[in-house]
Amino acid sequence: LTAIQALANVRDPAIFEPLLALADDSDPTIRSLVIPALANFKVPPVDALLLAAVKDTHATVRQEAITHLGLRSHLLAQLDLVSVLMPGLWDLSPRVNKATAIALGRLNTETSVTSLAQVLSSIHTPESLQIDVVRALGWIEKPSALLALFSARNQTSVAVQVEIINTLSRFRAPQLQQRAGELLCHWLTTDLGAATGSAAVYQAIALALGQLHYAPALSLLLELQQGPNAHTRLYVEAALKQLEA
């Protein structure tokens, strides 16, 4: 194990064959160490190794394979990489679930959005994984990712809703920021009208609208400022200051 760890830090083609020979070792610890070391080589034998390791019997090996496949977007032109990774979202290992969500986010494709959206909206998805999926969708700068986040709000807990709101405020493209502001205003208007929103959601939306500098939200924030929750009023005041800046 020490020898493999040492070789993994050597950036030299000479290590390729010795490490590849250990890729199917009976010890899963060795297999999991070999993968990140070989992943530095963008060659077909390593691609094949990673694709096979996604189905390894040991969770750590699957996790490593999925993580590094998420960094090999060049494979998208050759195969349906999202379909290869997708089962990892339902894996019994939470570490594999998280690695898969991150990998799909890095691939930045429409099919990635579809796969992540399905898991986010499922009642069978644990809250911790939903949060990982929300963050992964936030890395995909596409209108479909933004809509997937917004559409999942009614199927998720308050903690996940707050994560969704925070993620919507971090989109960088101006057109996506505009759309995020519109959707957050719609969310706030709906919750205020039905009196169903939680203080945590109101506060997160107020803060997000301020961070987005979404000026059309001014009247809505002023309405929220009249509410009874003193903590929420502080968030609204902070958002109003950001709009004025």
Side-chain angles (χ1 to χ4, degrees):
L1 294 179
T2 303
I4 294 172
Q5 289 170 332
L7 285 174
N9 293 316
V10 178
R11 304 285 178 144
D12 189 288
I15 71 168
F16 182 78
E17 292 298 336
L19 287 177
L20 189 62
L22 294 170
D24 59 353
D25 193 274
S26 60
D27 186 342
T29 303
I30 290 178
R31 296 199 303 276
S32 65
L33 286 173
V34 165
I35 287 175
L38 287 174
N40 295 317
F41 298 92
K42 299 293 193 293
V43 293
V46 176
D47 296 338
L49 167 63
L50 295 175
L51 291 169
V54 166
K55 298 180 180 179
D56 196 278
T57 56
H58 198 273
T60 303
V61 180
R62 296 196 300 275
Q63 177 187 356
E64 289 290 349
I66 289 167
T67 295
H68 291 283
L69 281 173
L71 298 171
R72 300 174 94 82
S73 57
H74 65 276
L75 292 177
L76 289 169
Q78 307 168 28
L79 54 87
D80 186 357
L81 189 53
V82 171
S83 293
V84 172
L85 296 175
M86 179 67 177
L89 290 173
W90 306 107
D91 196 279
L92 294 177
S93 167
R95 291 178 299 156
V96 173
N97 301 152
K98 182 174 183 176
T100 305
I102 293 172
L104 290 172
R106 284 172 171 164
L107 290 178
N108 195 37
T109 68
E110 291 292 349
T111 48
S112 292
V113 173
T114 301
S115 299
L116 290 168
Q118 289 173 353
V119 174
L120 179 58
S121 298
S122 172
I123 60 174
H124 303 294
T125 304
E127 183 179 272
S128 59
L129 178 56
Q130 285 182 317
I131 290 175
D132 290 330
V133 169
V134 167
R135 292 170 180 168
L137 284 167
W139 299 329
I140 303 175
E141 287 275 318
K142 296 180 183 294
S144 56
L146 189 152
L147 288 174
L149 289 166
F150 178 74
S151 299
R153 69 195 186 284
N154 293 327
Q155 288 82 44
T156 55
S157 66
V158 169
V160 178
Q161 289 176 20
V162 169
E163 191 66 37
I164 288 172
I165 294 163
N166 293 339
T167 301
L168 287 173
S169 72
R170 298 190 191 109
F171 280 94
R172 296 184 297 272
Q175 66 271 24
L176 294 181
Q177 290 181 337
Q178 174 73 18
R179 185 60 175 145
E182 294 171 357
L183 293 175
L184 288 170
C185 282
H186 176 75
W187 187 341
L188 183 56
T189 300
T190 302
D191 279 7
L192 285 173
T196 56
S198 72
V201 168
Y202 290 156
Q203 292 158 15
I205 292 178
L207 190 61
L209 290 170
Q211 291 171 337
L212 289 167
H213 297 281
Y214 188 65
L218 178 60
S219 60
L220 192 54
L221 288 172
L222 291 173
E223 178 184 346
L224 183 60
Q225 194 177 32
Q226 305 306 311
N229 189 299
H231 201 193
T232 298
R233 291 199 298 271
L234 290 175
Y235 276 83
V236 174
E237 289 172 11
L240 291 172
K241 288 179 181 178
Q242 287 181 300
L243 290 183
E244 295 170 359

